[in-house]
Amino acid sequence: MICFKKYIVWILVVYVSFTDAYAQCAMCRAVLESEEGQKAAEGINNGIVYLMIIPYILIAGVGYFIYRSKRNSKNTAV
């Protein structure tokens, strides 16, 4: 029974992660779709990627320092 519950939860997580998310406001969408050269759309997309990657870099840095401190504490305990 526990395995079945994990299976259902896994299916829900996969389903939710692959659904389309339209989080752009109506004004931004209208301006970006009406532009000819699509330069503003490229700029906004690049800005979104830039803002998205910063938290991942920070979390990876904190994880690395925790890993390094745990590894150093194991070496000094022996």
Side-chain angles (χ1 to χ4, degrees):
M1 188 68 177
I2 294 173
C3 184
F4 182 70
K5 288 181 183 179
K6 287 182 181 179
Y7 182 70
I8 295 295
V9 169
W10 182 248
I11 288 175
L12 289 174
V13 167
V14 170
Y15 176 74
V16 170
S17 66
F18 286 114
T19 58
D20 291 333
Y22 297 106
Q24 197 173 25
C25 71
M27 294 298 291
C28 294
R29 177 172 288 225
V31 169
L32 294 177
E33 287 179 351
S34 66
E35 188 184 20
E36 291 292 326
Q38 298 295 321
K39 291 291 181 183
E42 290 176 14
I44 288 177
N45 288 337
N46 290 339
I48 290 170
V49 170
Y50 175 74
L51 290 173
M52 180 185 69
I53 200 131
I54 299 299
Y56 287 109
I57 291 172
L58 291 174
I59 290 172
V62 169
Y64 172 73
F65 286 118
I66 291 171
Y67 167 75
R68 192 173 71 176
S69 69
K70 294 281 186 183
R71 196 171 111 203
N72 287 341
S73 67
K74 284 183 181 179
N75 289 341
T76 58
V78 173

